[in-house]
Each structure stands twice: as C-alpha cells, then as structure tokens.
C-alpha cells in the first residue's frame, strides 16, 4: 500500500526485454533504498512493482504483460522521469490517501493553465472510470494523490500547487501526455459489495432496482 505522496523523481535507466515482457532498471535520484530489501514494493508512476535487484540508488523490477497493457510503463525508455514512492509502513504518515498501486486505466491531459501560483490540469479518464471520480474526492495520477476539483462526465480537473509541480513529473507534463489513473479504493469495493449475490452471476451493473433494494432510493 502507498499514500500517493511522491518521495522522489527518478528515471528509467534501462529496459530489458525478458521472454515476452520486460525488466526495468530505475535510478532513484534522491530516494535512498537503504531500508529496502529484495521483494519490497516500490511505486513507479503509480504502478506497484517488486524490487528484484537493489543497489544504493538503483533497483530493477520485472513488468508483466498485464501491467504493460494497462499502464504507461509500456512507453518506458531510458531517461524517462518517473515518480517514486516506497511502500507504506505502520509508522508512516498517511498524508495523501490509501493507494494500492494497481492502475485502473490510462488518462490524458487535455488542458494545462496557470491558476494563481498553481496550475489547473484537466484530464480525460476512460469512460468506465467516470463513475468512480467525484468532486472533492481523491484520485491518484502517476502515483500522486490529488483532490478532484470538478467533474464533467469522464473529464475532471485538479489544481497542482508549486511544491507538487517541483517534486513530481507533473512539472514537466504537457497537453496530450498520457497518465496512469487509480480511482479511490473504497469506491471500487463499494460498487462490488453493492452487487451482492449478483456479483457471482456476472451481473456487474448497478441498476436503479439494485439501489432500491439496498435502500438508497425510494
């Protein structure tokens, strides 16, 4: 588990094809790996990866075809900057929100404009994720915990303060760039829970009748 509070911006050092998928080597910049062990989880642009090789400021992780197909790590190349976060520990401050590192889909930056000392970004999420994105709710973008300012269909906006611009890859982001999105964990599980017994029969849609039976509408 993670919090969405980026600890450092690293960069991809190498991409090694391995039997149909790949292994990434990542330079961690100012992030120390002194307390890490082989097998530990590290979030890379919001993707939970397992460290299989460790050095002082570098680690390697295998990336499956499933991960490559669902995240922007399919575009990884040497020199690409990435947001890094070590896994949450019992003594960590929960400064962002609960993040699993399991990316739900890829979004795209539609707009970027100055808003005081901050910048307002507008993103387009995949249509199936729109129902999980709520105004003033939480969302994780490339591993960064952010608050949703407004929502219009599958389009949503966030404000990025100067510190976040300086300490994450969003400071270099441009309109058209693709980003990893992870919606709020509780929203995902709440939807599944509300399906009740119907979930086992593959009826995965929340209908008006289901909301009525659960007492949410009269």
């Amino acid at each position: 588990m993670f919090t969405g509070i980026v600890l450092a911006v690293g960069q991809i050092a190498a991409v090694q094809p391995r039997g149909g998928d790949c292994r990434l080597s990542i330079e961690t910049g100012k992030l120390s790996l002194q307390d890490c062990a082989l097998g530990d989880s590290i979030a890379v642009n919001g993707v939970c990866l397992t460290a299989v090789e460790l050095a002082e400021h570098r680690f390697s992780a295998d990336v499956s075809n499933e991960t490559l197909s669902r995240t922007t790590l399919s575009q990884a190349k040497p020199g690409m900057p990435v947001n890094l976060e070590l896994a949450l520990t019992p003594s960590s401050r929960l400064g962002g929100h609960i993040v699993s590192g399991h990316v739900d889909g890829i979004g795209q930056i539609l707009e970027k404009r100055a808003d005081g000392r901050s910048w307002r970004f507008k993103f387009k999420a995949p249509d199936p994720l729109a129902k999980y994105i709520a105004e003033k709710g939480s969302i994780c973008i490339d591993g960064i915990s952010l608050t949703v300012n407004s929502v219009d269909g599958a389009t949503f906006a966030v404000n990025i303060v100067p510190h976040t611009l300086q300490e994450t890859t969003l400071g270099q982001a441009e309109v058209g760039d693709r980003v990893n999105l992870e919606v709020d964990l509780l929203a995902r599980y709440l939807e599944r829970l509300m399906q009740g017994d119907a979930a086992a029969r593959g009826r995965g849609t929340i209908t008006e009748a289901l909301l009525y039976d659960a007492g949410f509408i009269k």
Side-chain angles (χ1 to χ4, degrees):
M1 302 297 292
F2 305 91
T3 67
I5 303 299
V6 172
L7 300 178
V9 175
Q11 68 174 19
I12 303 294
V15 180
Q16 308 164 29
R18 290 285 182 98
D21 46 47
C22 74
R23 175 170 293 186
L24 297 181
S25 294
I26 298 162
E27 297 284 351
T28 61
K30 68 179 183 181
L31 178 64
S32 172
L33 299 177
Q34 184 176 358
D35 295 330
C36 288
L38 290 177
D40 280 0
S41 296
I42 301 174
V44 179
N45 271 4
V47 183
C48 178
L49 297 180
T50 300
V52 296
E53 295 177 356
L54 283 172
E56 186 176 1
H57 286 286
R58 182 170 176 153
F59 74 96
S60 296
D62 292 322
V63 185
S64 69
N65 280 325
E66 170 72 8
T67 301
L68 291 172
S69 69
R70 289 180 175 265
T71 75
T72 59
L73 290 185
S74 61
Q75 306 169 346
K77 57 185 179 181
M80 182 177 112
V82 289
N83 296 316
L84 301 175
E85 182 187 354
L86 301 180
L88 181 66
T89 68
S91 61
S92 298
R93 293 180 183 273
L94 189 59
H97 69 282
I98 297 174
V99 174
S100 68
H102 303 159
V103 171
D104 293 296
I106 296 175
Q108 187 173 39
I109 300 175
L110 298 182
E111 182 181 303
K112 175 185 176 182
R113 62 179 174 83
D115 185 6
R117 293 186 304 115
S118 301
W119 282 79
R120 179 171 287 244
F121 283 70
K122 185 178 289 185
F123 296 89
K124 172 67 168 65
D127 288 349
L129 297 187
K131 60 188 174 183
Y132 303 111
I133 302 172
E135 185 173 336
K136 299 307 174 184
S138 296
I139 193 162
C140 190
I141 300 176
D142 273 350
I144 308 164
S145 173
L146 295 168
T147 300
V148 177
N149 286 345
S150 62
V151 182
D152 181 9
T155 300
F156 67 96
V158 300
N159 262 61
I160 311 298
V161 297
H163 177 80
T164 303
L165 287 170
Q166 180 178 334
E167 297 295 329
T168 74
T169 57
L170 283 181
Q172 308 169 45
E174 299 293 342
V175 171
D177 286 355
R178 304 201 312 159
V179 294
N180 295 318
L181 300 178
E182 181 185 333
V183 299
D184 183 69
L185 188 68
L186 297 179
R188 252 191 286 161
Y189 282 109
L190 179 61
E191 180 193 33
R192 188 68 170 171
L193 183 63
M194 286 182 61
Q195 293 168 18
D197 294 340
R201 299 191 293 273
R203 293 164 55 191
T205 302
I206 292 181
T207 63
E208 185 175 346
L210 179 62
L211 292 174
Y212 179 85
D213 290 342
F216 285 95
I217 58 176
K218 296 181 179 180

